[in-house]
Amino acid sequence: MIHFKNVSKIYGNDTYALKNINLHVKSGELLALIGPSGCGKTTTMRMINRLIDPTEGQILINGEDILKKNPVKLRRDIGYVIQQIGLLPHMTIQDNISLVPKLKKWPKEKYEKRVDELLDLVGLDPSVFKSRYPGELSGGQQQRIGVIRALAAEPPIILMDEPFSALDPISREQLQDELIKLQEEIHKTIVFVTHDMDEALKIANRIAIMRGGEIIQLDTPDKILRHPKDDFVTDFIGEKRLNASIGNPVAEDLMLDKVITSSPTRGLAEAFTFMKKGKVDQLYIVGKEKEILGLVSLEEVRNQFKDENKILADIMVKDVIKIQANQSVGEVADCFANQGLTTLPVMQDNKLIGIITRSSMIRGIANWEQRSSP
Ligand code: ADP
Ligand code: MG
C-alpha cells in the first residue's frame, strides 16, 4: 500500500536524517516505527503526507508517486494524530471532528451522524460531549477526540506520531486498548511512531526498529522478541523482556510505577487542577511516608466543589483495597474479579509503590510468559 523506495533525506550538505529507506507498509496493518530520539521516525512519517519531501528516492501509495499529487488533497485522505492533539480551542468537539468531512463537502446529516458514531466508538456520550469545547475535557478525552478526528472522513491511511506519550500511564493504557479494538473493527493502514517498546509490542502488527536514519530490523513483535537481529535491537528491547525467568509473577511485576497522588490537606480546587494536569480521574491520597490514607474520585471533587472549606481529607474514601508487592498474580486477579475495581494500589513496607490496572495485569502476565518460555 505504501512503498518507500531508496528514500533519503539530507539536511544541508551531508546530514542524513534518513539513509536509503526501503519500506513496505501493508494494507490494513498497524506498523510501529520505533527507535531512539532523532533516529528519523517523524521524518519517515511526515513524508507520507508530504509535510516533508524526500531528497532522494520515491514514495508510492497504491502504486502512485505521491510527489505527483497535490499535497493538500493528499492530506485529506490521510488521518494525522500528534502528541499535542491540535484541537481548535474555540470550536466545539462536533466542529473539531467534522473539520475534514466539511472540507470534503459531506452533507450535514452525514457528518453529524459520523460525529455521533465516532464519539460512541470511544465511549464518549455524543449528547454530552459534542457541544463541549476542548478545554472542558480531560487530557485523555481530548486525545480520544484527536484520534477520532483523524478517522472522521474515513481515510484509508492514518499516521500517528507518539499520540499517547504525553498521557498518564492509565489513560495511555486505555487508549492503547481502544486503538487495538478500533483497528479490529476498521482495518485501516496505520503508521504509528513511538519510543516505547511496550507500546509497540502491544499494538503493532509489525515493528520497524530504526537507528541513525536506517531501519535495522522490521518484523512481527514475536519475531523481534525471539530473534533480535543484533546487540542494538537486544539492548533496545531490554534484558527484562528477553530474559527467561522462573517462578510466577507477583503484584510488583504487573504494576505501573507512576502513580498520581496528593496529600489530605489539599483543597478541592487544587485537586481538580492536579487531576486535570495529571490527566487522571482519581487521586490516591498519601501521607508523608507514602502510606495510603484514602482515594478521591473526580466525580466526588465535582460534587463537593462548591464547599470552599472542604479539603481532600473530608471527601476521601478511607477504605481502600490494596495489595502487597509480593502477593501472587492469582490474588491480584481475585481482587479485580471480586471487588469490581478499576485500579489496585501496590504496597511495600506500607508505602505506595505502583498501581495495577486490568490491562497492566494482563500485559504483565503476557510479558512474563513470553520471558519464561524457552
Ligand atoms: P525522531 O522522530 O526519530 O526523533 P526526526 O525524524 O525528528 O527523529 O529527526 C531525524 C534527524 O533529522 C535528527 O537528527 C534531526 O535532528 C534531523 N532533522 C530533522 N529536521 C531537521 C531540519 N529541519 N534541519 C536539520 N536537521 C533536521
Ligand atoms: Mg519524532
Side-chain angles (χ1 to χ4, degrees), residues 35-43 45-46 83 161-162 193-195:
S37 178
C39 70
K41 305 179 294 290
T42 296
T43 306
M45 163 164 290
R46 287 160 71 95
Q83 190 190 101
D161 195 346
E162 309 209 15
V193 165
T194 178
H195 59 254

Side-chain angles (χ1 to χ4, degrees), residues 132-339:
R132 289 204 181 161
Y133 288 86
E136 299 172 300
L137 273 56
S138 74
Q141 290 168 338
Q142 289 187 39
Q143 203 65 25
R144 284 182 176 80
I145 304 299
V147 172
I148 60 176
R149 183 180 59 173
L151 301 173
E154 302 181 327
I157 297 172
I158 298 160
L159 309 178
M160 305 180 86
D161 195 346
E162 309 209 15
F164 309 145
S165 53
L167 298 173
D168 66 279
I170 299 165
S171 308
R172 186 157 65 222
E173 292 264 345
Q174 281 174 351
L175 273 153
Q176 289 165 350
D177 292 340
E178 281 171 22
L179 181 65
I180 293 168
K181 235 173 63 199
L182 237 134
Q183 177 63 347
E184 280 166 6
E185 288 169 28
I186 59 176
H187 287 294
K188 299 288 182 187
T189 305
I190 302 177
V191 180
F192 190 107
V193 165
T194 178
H195 59 254
D196 175 357
M197 197 59 179
D198 285 322
E199 183 164 79
L201 291 170
K202 179 170 168 181
I203 64 171
N205 300 113
R206 289 194 306 155
I207 300 174
I209 299 181
M210 298 183 70
R211 177 185 55 182
E214 294 178 286
I215 294 174
I216 306 295
Q217 184 169 9
L218 172 59
D219 239 321
T220 61
D222 196 63
K223 284 258 173 59
I224 285 181
L225 284 169
R226 286 172 195 270
H227 307 289
K229 191 172 164 194
D230 59 15
D231 288 349
F232 171 76
V233 177
T234 305
D235 282 351
F236 201 75
I237 298 170
E239 289 290 310
K240 209 173 149 214
R241 294 189 195 87
L242 290 171
N243 279 352
S245 307
I246 43 166
N248 281 311
V250 293
E252 197 179 356
D253 300 310
L254 310 175
M255 72 183 190
L256 307 163
D257 54 19
K258 284 198 199 112
V259 195
I260 311 283
T261 60
S262 187
S263 71
T265 53
R266 298 282 172 177
L268 305 196
E270 282 175 291
F272 190 65
T273 312
F274 206 54
M275 286 165 126
K276 250 174 94 170
K277 197 167 151 230
K279 302 176 180 97
V280 291
D281 61 5
Q282 56 175 22
L283 271 183
Y284 284 98
I285 311 303
V286 298
K288 287 205 175 64
E289 304 288 333
K290 289 227 148 194
E291 75 278 25
I292 292 189
L293 303 172
L295 181 64
V296 166
S297 69
L298 179 60
E299 202 180 21
E300 200 54 24
V301 173
R302 280 220 165 101
N303 287 343
Q304 311 256 8
F305 197 74
K306 287 218 176 75
D307 190 339
E308 295 197 7
N309 296 320
K310 284 216 165 122
I311 57 172
L312 290 173
D314 299 320
I315 69 163
M316 69 189 186
V317 176
K318 294 196 182 99
D319 204 359
V320 180
I321 296 163
K322 313 170 190 100
I323 196 138
Q324 301 303 317
N326 61 1
Q327 278 183 271
S328 73
V329 57
E331 291 171 287
V332 173
D334 282 348
C335 268
F336 277 109
N338 300 332
Q339 315 280 1

